[in-house]
């Protein structure tokens, strides 16, 4: 019996990926379109966000700016607490380092109340983020050797040290009274000021309109950097270290070095959030950078879903915007008391809401808003 040899035509050779999709009953072209849609969908959100300053006034823009600033810090904390599994309660300290370092380096050296070096504001901003990274690097040997609740307790020392320094280093911080923040400018164009005058479509484009775009650019940069880190080899190594440190060490992953690196990386995000927060407030006081701020950052990460970068964004925006919105509409909400009156004010109601949501999420959906969003997408098919 003779054998017939059939030559394979390269033009009709099957692609393994196409064969796999065909066997699963999927259209390869449709799969590529779906992947392209998933990639472009987040970027499509930039179009309406870029148009927001054209339609809203400054009182609304500042809510979004502060939300984006805190979201940047929340992204850094979710990398640390969610992806790497390291609990830190010192996030407010690194945010303060970024804010006050920028204010001092860019401050007026001839000021009678507070000192300053008078550096170019862009140089001061970069140096402020670097200072926060350096502070994280100095603490990283502790974070590399201590884990869990013990690391959280150890990090509290930074918060207490920071509060004492901010209130007593008056030439640098202004003490209890705080200090002004110099505007950020590039070649004479202020990114959070009014100089030079700018008009867009017949409307003035002042400090908050300009700062909106800076905040949006910083947020996108933080989101892209964090997403690439989580999805890349460092992110997979951090997740393995979180789930099984012994297995990670046996596979050749330098566990201590990775723990120190992710703590430093988280400090970079916090420093950038501090600079943007200082620019948004124009005036910073130590009463803002307290242990309560660290708790709020942890709340953002848990509500959004530990380890989820989009979840940290959602959590940061929600936790920041809710008390500000309640305060804005407190006149229309008769059950809200005036701040400081001893009754149920906007800030207190927001804390009650955060507490209730934390309990609900930890019981019903530990994955936070990110897991809820994934479940909603799957239910829609």
């Amino acid at each position: 019996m003779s054998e017939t040899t059939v030559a394979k035509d390269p033009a009709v050779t099957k692609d393994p990926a196409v064969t796999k999709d065909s066997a699963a009953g999927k259209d390869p072209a449709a799969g590529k379109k779906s992947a392209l849609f998933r990639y472009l969908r987040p970027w499509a959100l930039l179009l309406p966000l870029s148009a927001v300053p054209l339609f809203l006034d400054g009182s609304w823009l500042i809510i979004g700016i502060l939300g984006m600033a805190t979201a940047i810090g929340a992204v850094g904390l979710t990398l640390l607490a969610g992806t790497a599994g390291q609990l830190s309660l010192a996030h407010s300290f690194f945010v303060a380092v970024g804010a006050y370092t920028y204010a001092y380096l860019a401050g007026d050296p001839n000021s009678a109340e507070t000192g300053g070096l008078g550096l170019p504001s862009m140089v001061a901003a970069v140096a402020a983020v670097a200072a926060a990274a350096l502070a994280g690097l100095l603490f990283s040997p502790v974070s590399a050797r201590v884990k869990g609740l013990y690391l959280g307790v150890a990090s509290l020392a930074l918060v207490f040290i920071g509060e004492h320094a901010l209130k007593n280093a008056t030439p640098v911080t202004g003490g209890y009274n705080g200090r002004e923040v110099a505007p950020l400018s590039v070649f004479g164009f202020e990114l959070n000021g009014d100089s030079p005058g700018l008009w867009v479509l017949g409307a003035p484009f002042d400090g908050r309109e300009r700062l909106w775009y800076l905040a949006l650019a910083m947020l996108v940069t933080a989101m892209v950097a964090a997403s690439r880190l989580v999805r890349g080899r460092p992110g997979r190594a951090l997740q393995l270290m979180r789930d099984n440190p012994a297995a990670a060490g046996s596979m050749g992953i330098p566990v201590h070095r990775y723990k120190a690196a992710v703590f430093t990386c988280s400090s970079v995000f916090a420093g950038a959030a501090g600079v943007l927060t200082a620019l948004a407030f124009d005036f910073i006081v130590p009463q803002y950078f307290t242990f309560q701020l660290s708790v709020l950052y942890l709340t953002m990460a848990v509500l959004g879903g530990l380890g989820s970068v989009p979840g940290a964004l959602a959590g940061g925006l929600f936790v920041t915007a809710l008390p500000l919105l309640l305060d804005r509409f407190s006149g229309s909400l008769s059950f809200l008391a005036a701040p400081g009156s001893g009754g149920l004010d906007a800030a207190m109601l927001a804390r009650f809401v955060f507490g209730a949501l934390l309990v609900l999420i930890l019981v019903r959906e530990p994955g936070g808003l990110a897991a809820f969003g994934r479940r909603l997408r799957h239910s829609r098919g």
Side-chain angles (χ1 to χ4, degrees), residues 58 120 122 124 129 143 185 212 232 248 261 346 356 368 378:
M122 282 300 297
V129 177
S143 67
S185 62
W212 174 274
H378 292 160

Side-chain angles (χ1 to χ4, degrees), residues 318-319 322-324 326 344-356:
F318 175 75
V319 171
L322 180 61
L324 296 176
L326 288 175
L344 180 65
D345 58 12
M348 186 180 298
L349 177 60
R351 296 191 193 102
F352 286 146
V353 173
F354 297 153

Side-chain angles (χ1 to χ4, degrees), residues 302 357-366:
V302 174
L357 286 178
L358 277 176
V359 173
L360 181 63
I361 284 179
L362 291 175
V363 173
R364 302 292 299 177
E365 187 56 86

Side-chain angles (χ1 to χ4, degrees), residues 158-172:
L158 293 178
V159 178
F160 299 143
I161 293 172
E163 289 186 12
H164 178 78
L166 294 181
K167 294 175 181 178
N168 292 279
T170 306
V172 177

Side-chain angles (χ1 to χ4, degrees), residues 10-101:
V12 297
T13 300
K14 295 182 178 180
D15 185 2
V18 175
T19 305
K20 183 178 179 180
D21 289 338
S22 301
K26 299 179 180 178
D27 183 6
K32 292 180 179 179
K33 291 181 180 179
S34 177
L36 181 62
F37 175 75
R38 288 195 301 269
Y39 175 78
L40 294 178
R41 183 171 55 185
W43 296 102
L45 294 175
L46 290 178
L47 295 177
L49 289 176
S50 300
V52 166
L54 301 177
F55 301 97
L56 298 181
D57 60 22
S59 61
W60 286 101
L61 293 180
I62 193 62
I63 297 177
I65 292 169
L66 290 173
M68 287 187 280
T70 52
I72 294 172
V75 168
L77 185 59
T78 203
L79 290 177
L80 181 64
T83 306
Q86 292 183 276
L87 176 63
S88 173
L89 297 176
H91 220 56
S92 64
F93 170 79
F94 298 107
V95 175
V97 170
Y100 275 96
T101 300

Side-chain angles (χ1 to χ4, degrees), residues 240-324:
L240 179 59
M241 287 165 38
R242 176 197 63 197
D243 299 333
N244 195 332
S250 64
M251 295 180 64
I253 298 176
V255 176
H256 292 309
R257 191 170 68 185
Y258 266 68
K259 286 184 176 181
V262 72
F263 196 92
T264 305
C265 181
S266 175
S267 303
V268 171
F269 285 88
V275 173
L276 188 55
T277 300
L279 293 174
F281 282 138
D282 290 328
F283 195 94
I284 49 178
V285 292
Q287 290 81 359
Y288 178 78
F289 306 95
T290 61
F291 175 65
Q292 181 181 347
L293 181 61
S294 291
V295 174
L296 285 178
Y297 269 113
L298 190 59
T299 302
M300 299 171 198
V302 174
L303 286 179
L306 286 173
S308 171
V309 175
L313 169 62
L317 293 176
F318 175 75
V319 171
T320 304
L322 180 61
L324 296 176

